[in-house]
Amino acid sequence: MKMKNSLLLMALAAMTLTLASCSKDDDNGNSNDTPPAQTITAPPYKDDAVKLSLPDNNISVGGLKANVSALELGEGGTYIVTYTPVATTRAADGTGYKTGKYTKSNNSYNLAGFATVTINGKSGSTYTIVVKTTDGVSTELNATAATGGVATGTMTDNLCRTWTIENTRLTLEVEGITAGRDFPGTCNLNAIIAYAKDRGMEINDEVEENSVVTGITFSRAGTFLISYMNGKNDVGKWNWASQASGTISYGWNDPGMGNSLENGEATVAFDGSKCKLTLGATIDGHKLQAIYTLSF
């Protein structure tokens, strides 16, 4: 999804612009208070989660020969494959991402629509794996597990999984007038931007038709993934700015997203099995706040 200089789009959906902290514009039961120290149900693949760096290879991704540089198994059963198409008869298209759901059987992981990955051995951070793609071709590799990542803790365990969007609460303050509305279900960017424009925000965004955000994934390796109904994805990095207050920082450097970002901020809080993700921005002097209610 091309984002270019899309301030509102990035604040609302892909968390892709420097977001200035903004005060709560109205009282609708939403809060940015310090999140409670509670533990929610562990995601299904917490102990399997890993991000592997792969040596140079020639693995098929969606029928396209590519060099797969990284393979990540997320805590919630979502995988992310990072690849660069191998230039053959045409120029390579730059970094791409293949994502989907995975399941586990013994030491093998079925990455739907991509491959079966079997772990045949592990020594320290080195994994011996076999990647058998959907075209039946197997490739044996020695992969290296990423080190570092996000600090451990209850908040990390709570956040790191795949979330679906239940509701988006948008609050605007334009020329001293505050308005707010809930958008139930998946996040339809077209509807949200239309609402903001109707209330006086000047927005010049290049947004594709039927741009709908369906899910957000966070991993302990420090990856976040924004998933769209049309099958496209945006991928970036995240970490805690303050785990105690539920403040996260995020960024990316991906020409395919049309821009780069360092040190964006958002806050998270948990209530039972739900997460509240809050983003705020000031655009041309107008305040905007988006609160996502997420579930798994």
Side-chain angles (χ1 to χ4, degrees):
M1 175 172 288
K2 294 292 185 182
M3 303 219 185
K4 301 191 177 178
N5 295 314
S6 177
L7 287 169
L8 183 59
L9 170 60
M10 295 169 188
L12 289 177
M15 299 191 299
T16 56
L17 215 84
T18 302
L19 300 178
S21 174
C22 77
S23 62
K24 187 169 64 174
D25 292 324
D26 57 0
D27 186 5
N28 296 286
N30 298 316
S31 174
N32 292 328
D33 295 339
T34 301
Q38 60 175 304
T39 301
I40 61 179
T41 304
Y45 297 104
K46 176 183 176 182
D47 295 331
D48 298 281
V50 67
K51 182 176 182 178
L52 299 174
S53 296
L54 277 58
D56 288 346
N57 54 72
N58 192 5
I59 294 175
S60 177
V61 180
L64 181 69
K65 289 297 182 181
N67 179 32
V68 176
S69 58
L71 188 161
E72 183 168 358
L73 302 176
E75 288 79 356
T78 296
Y79 73 83
I80 304 173
V81 172
T82 305
Y83 66 92
T84 303
V86 176
T88 52
T89 58
R90 60 182 179 83
D93 293 329
T95 301
Y97 301 98
K98 171 71 175 175
T99 69
K101 298 296 184 180
Y102 73 87
T103 56
K104 179 184 178 183
S105 177
N106 298 318
N107 62 330
S108 293
Y109 299 84
N110 179 23
L111 281 56
F114 171 58
T116 298
V117 177
T118 302
I119 299 176
N120 287 332
K122 177 184 175 184
S123 177
S125 62
T126 300
Y127 287 64
T128 301
I129 66 173
V130 175
V131 179
K132 184 177 181 180
T133 50
T134 53
D135 60 5
V137 177
S138 294
T139 304
E140 185 172 1
L141 301 163
N142 287 326
T144 304
T147 58
V150 176
T152 59
T154 299
M155 292 290 283
T156 299
D157 291 342
N158 288 348
L159 183 62
C160 290
R161 65 189 71 220
T162 297
W163 299 90
T164 57
I165 300 176
E166 282 191 357
N167 187 72
T168 302
R169 174 66 186 178
L170 182 67
T171 303
L172 307 173
E173 183 181 307
V174 181
E175 297 180 356
I177 299 175
T178 300
R181 178 183 164 185
D182 289 299
F183 294 83
T186 53
C187 179
N188 187 319
L189 299 183
N190 305 103
I192 291 174
I193 289 174
Y195 174 80
K197 285 183 176 180
D198 287 344
R199 274 136 191 90
M201 276 199 162
E202 295 183 4
I203 306 166
N204 296 310
D205 288 288
E206 298 182 17
V207 183
E208 297 176 9
E209 290 295 324
N210 300 315
S211 293
V212 179
V213 181
T214 56
I216 303 174
T217 298
F218 294 90
S219 79
R220 283 180 293 173
T223 303
F224 75 80
L225 166 71
I226 309 297
S227 301
Y228 298 88
M229 188 174 287
N230 60 10
K232 295 184 179 181
N233 303 282
D234 289 322
V235 178
K237 303 292 184 183
W238 79 278
N239 208 330
W240 291 112
S242 170
Q243 189 168 172
S245 64
T247 305
I248 65 174
S249 61
Y250 58 89
W252 69 90
N253 183 13
D254 182 0
M257 293 169 69
N259 46 61
S260 297
L261 170 70
E262 294 181 1
N263 302 321
E265 284 196 356
T267 61
V268 295
F270 300 96
D271 181 9
S273 62
K274 299 185 187 299
C275 173
K276 296 250 179 170
L277 172 65
T278 301
L279 306 172
T282 300
I283 303 174
D284 295 332
H286 306 315
K287 292 181 179 181
L288 174 149
Q289 185 185 67
I291 301 178
Y292 299 96
T293 301
L294 311 176
S295 62
F296 60 89

